[in-house]
Amino acid sequence: DSGVTQTPKHLITATGQRVTLRCSPRSGDLSVYWYQQSLDQGLQFLIQYYNGEERAKGNILERFSAQQFPDLHSELNLSSLELGDSALYFCASSVTRTSGRTDTQYFGPGTRLTVL
Amino acid sequence: KNQVEQSPQSLIILEGKNCTLQCNYTVSPFSNLRWYKQDTGRGPVSLTIMTFSENTKSNGRYTATLDADTKQSSLHITASQLSDSASYICVVSRAAGTASKLTFGTGTRLQVTL
């Protein structure tokens, strides 16, 4: 158990819909990262938040957005869903020291999204 | 283009044997390189993190090496166990101001059999 929690574990929805994935980081971790992993594909970094502010952006679509709240939990919003958005979505957290460059990221169990 | 390539794509070995997984990268400027283990359907777990000045780092039966000149890394697994069956992912971090940009390899799928 990494200490990172994600809800829900599974989500099934239809094309065109909007969903929200939730992540609670490990106690004391200020950074939250979101990743997408499609079937048999590598992990794709989406976005990082640090202490409530966006720090780094990866291959995140405009239909996707995220935020980190004052209690440090984070939500990833996916809208106008397409079949290709079906994937495992992972959240990770880390302490993030001065530069954050050698932090260990602890991954949550993931949310499996299926778009029908 | 910043890329991370891993080989082999998949590997089957007998329990108790050793194996070595390879990672080549073109990411620049280099910040650090990480190896993760990911069991099927679960989140990745960090094995090692190495910066530019580190040549080798161990974590139990896992030993990672880094040659920053040739931009190559390897992960050596000693005396493999059935529980080592998983995907092993190489991740290279590129320094970008106060944030770091991560580039992921597609992983090596290892199966350890009896």
Side-chain angles (χ1 to χ4, degrees), chain A residues 35-53:
Chain A
Y35 296 90
Q36 179 192 57
Q37 187 173 40
S38 302
L39 188 64
D40 292 331
Q41 297 287 316
L43 281 159
Q44 296 286 325
F45 167 65
L46 296 178
I47 197 164
Q48 176 198 358
Y49 276 83
Y50 171 73
N51 204 20
E53 294 189 1

Side-chain angles (χ1 to χ4, degrees), chain A residues 63-102:
Chain A
R63 299 184 286 109
F64 297 180
S65 65
Q67 55 183 325
Q68 186 179 27
F69 295 87
D71 66 352
L72 300 177
H73 90 272
S74 178
E75 292 181 355
L76 178 68
N77 300 297
L78 315 176
S79 61
S80 302
L81 285 168
E82 302 174 358
L83 295 177
D85 297 328
S86 296
L88 265 170
Y89 290 84
F90 288 106
C91 165
S93 74
S94 70
V95 170
T96 304
R97 299 177 186 86
T98 49
S99 67
R101 294 176 186 178
T102 56

Side-chain angles (χ1 to χ4, degrees), chain A residues 35 37 57 90 99 101 103, chain B residues 32 34 38 97-98 102 104:
Chain A
Y35 296 90
Q37 187 173 40
K57 220 168 191 177
F90 288 106
S99 67
R101 294 176 186 178
D103 276 348
Chain B
N32 61 72
R34 310 160 189 237
Q38 184 178 22
T98 57
L102 302 181
F104 288 77

Side-chain angles (χ1 to χ4, degrees), chain B residues 5-26:
Chain B
E5 294 185 355
Q6 292 187 242
S7 61
Q9 195 171 20
S10 62
L11 184 62
I12 301 174
I13 63 173
L14 292 174
E15 186 181 28
K17 297 296 186 184
N18 304 334
C19 67
T20 300
L21 314 180
Q22 300 290 341
C23 173
N24 296 336
Y25 62 93
T26 59

Side-chain angles (χ1 to χ4, degrees), chain B residues 1 5 9 11 17 20 37 41 52-53 56 59 71 76 80 82 86 92 99 102 105 108:
Chain B
K1 187 178 179 182
E5 294 185 355
Q9 195 171 20
L11 184 62
K17 297 296 186 184
T20 300
K37 176 187 178 187
F52 184 89
S53 59
T56 184
N59 179 357
K71 298 188 176 182
H76 186 74
S80 61
L82 295 178
V92 181
L102 302 181
T108 292

